Amino acid sequence: MLYAHLAEVLRAASDRRVIAVVTTNGLKLKRHAELLVAARLPVLQVSLDGWDEPSQRARGNVKNSFNSLLEGVAAVKAARGKAAFPIIRVLTAITRTNHAHLDRIQEVVASMGVPYWGITNYFNVNRKAHQAHQLFALAHGISGSVSAHAIEGEVYLTPPQVRDLKDSLHRVRCLNRRLGLRIAYAWNIDLNAYYSAREASGRTLCSLPFSRLDIHADGHMAVCVSGKRVGKVGQTPIADVWRGKTLEAYRGMYQRTRPMPMCFRCCGVSQNIRF
């Protein structure tokens, strides 16, 4: 929402039949509601990690973020009227603050009149995985940076907290018999293993090197959370980078070494990770 040319970009995507998705914390959503609808945005995703102002603020320490989010969603719905788009979807990351209270967030989502709710397990690397990645990066010539939360200690949730999470998820399923939300979550993940120091097995497969190219604000093109640069906008066509030898070599390296250390609990494997 801070990008001055957002409406122009969305219209350009729509004119070219590219499906655009805007993900926001909702702070400036009310102000931009009519703009998003007028620009024909297909999908709007709003991050909600709390069930009230204190719990929502605990994630990013931003004042009035809960009320701003609610008002923003209401403004988009009003601007949209009876039109189908943008489809509104709420996203929730499981955190140390909300893991035992997901059903309370569920009730907020339902009260907003939003039928789509996505829940994700927390993305992180522990100290051991972070150190292993530094060595891996030197050996394979990739960036040492990792786009994931480097946690203190070995686990993000303790065994008692995992039990609370399981209870919370059970309440979500029971409550949803009445609320009828369309919930996207990896229900079959082994939560005891996920929130432990166990490493992923070689059967874990990430699709990101084969399906996604990140273009950063400085124009560099990079692969997944490894940060490996594979080209730059204005110097090499995106299609040439996507089909080029550098990215082909990276994919080959990934296939030989998967899972890589920074894949410890990455978004690319969080839905299908195996141990």
Side-chain angles (χ1 to χ4, degrees):
M1 300 295 174
L2 296 175
Y3 184 52
H5 304 286
L6 178 61
E8 181 182 346
V9 169
L10 294 177
R11 291 192 188 98
S14 179
D15 291 342
R16 290 159 178 79
R17 298 184 179 182
V18 173
I19 298 177
V21 180
V22 169
T23 303
T24 174
N25 61 12
L27 286 174
K28 298 183 179 296
L29 186 55
K30 182 178 180 179
R31 187 186 309 174
H32 290 79
E34 293 186 1
L35 178 151
L36 296 175
V37 173
R40 307 190 299 278
L41 173 68
V43 181
L44 173 68
Q45 298 188 142
V46 185
S47 297
L48 175 66
D49 293 333
W51 58 91
D52 57 14
E53 182 60 34
S55 57
Q56 177 70 1
R57 184 176 177 180
R59 180 72 193 275
N61 198 28
V62 180
K63 295 181 179 179
N64 202 38
S65 56
F66 183 76
N67 291 329
S68 296
L69 186 154
L70 297 185
E71 292 172 358
V73 170
V76 172
K77 292 181 66 178
R80 182 182 66 182
K82 295 183 179 180
F85 300 99
I87 295 170
I88 303 174
R89 183 171 181 241
V90 172
L91 302 178
T92 298
I94 294 170
T95 69
R96 288 169 175 162
T97 299
N98 69 21
H99 67 279
H101 306 285
L102 295 177
D103 49 320
R104 300 180 71 175
I105 299 176
Q106 181 183 14
E107 291 177 330
V108 174
V109 175
S111 71
M112 289 191 291
V114 175
Y116 303 100
W117 184 32
I119 311 172
T120 58
N121 291 305
Y122 199 75
F123 311 155
N124 66 91
V125 289
N126 61 12
R127 188 185 306 274
K128 180 180 178 182
H130 192 271
Q131 291 174 342
H133 173 63
Q134 304 304 313
L135 297 175
F136 185 90
L138 289 173
H140 295 275
I142 61 177
S143 168
S145 61
V146 179
S147 301
H149 180 198
I151 63 171
E152 295 182 2
E154 293 301 307
V155 299
Y156 181 70
L157 294 182
T158 64
Q161 288 174 323
V162 173
R163 288 195 295 270
D164 290 340
L165 170 59
K166 290 180 178 180
D167 290 341
S168 177
L169 288 168
H170 176 71
R171 294 195 301 273
V172 164
R173 301 186 91 159
C174 292
L175 181 59
N176 211 50
R177 295 168 187 164
R178 174 172 59 85
L179 297 180
L181 299 180
R182 298 184 183 181
I183 302 175
Y185 178 64
W187 296 102
N188 295 325
I189 290 293
D190 182 344
L191 292 175
N192 290 321
Y194 187 94
Y195 291 103
S196 74
R198 290 175 60 182
E199 297 180 4
S201 78
R203 297 179 299 155
T204 298
L205 177 64
C206 175
S207 65
L208 295 186
F210 310 94
S211 63
R212 185 174 105 175
L213 189 65
D214 292 346
I215 302 180
H216 295 257
D218 63 0
H220 278 99
M221 290 177 267
V223 184
C224 69
V225 300
S226 71
K228 178 176 175 60
R229 293 183 173 185
V230 292
K232 189 170 184 179
V233 173
Q235 296 181 358
T236 310
I238 295 173
D240 290 352
V241 170
W242 185 249
R243 305 187 187 105
K245 292 184 178 180
T246 300
L247 194 45
E248 180 183 1
Y250 180 89
R251 290 169 180 146
M253 180 270 294
Y254 168 76
Q255 289 284 38
R256 293 190 304 272
T257 60
R258 75 173 197 237
M260 298 183 287
M262 65 277 196
C263 301
F264 179 68
R265 299 293 186 268
C266 170
C267 56
V269 301
S270 64
Q271 303 302 309
N272 62 5
I273 191 169
R274 299 183 181 184
F275 299 92

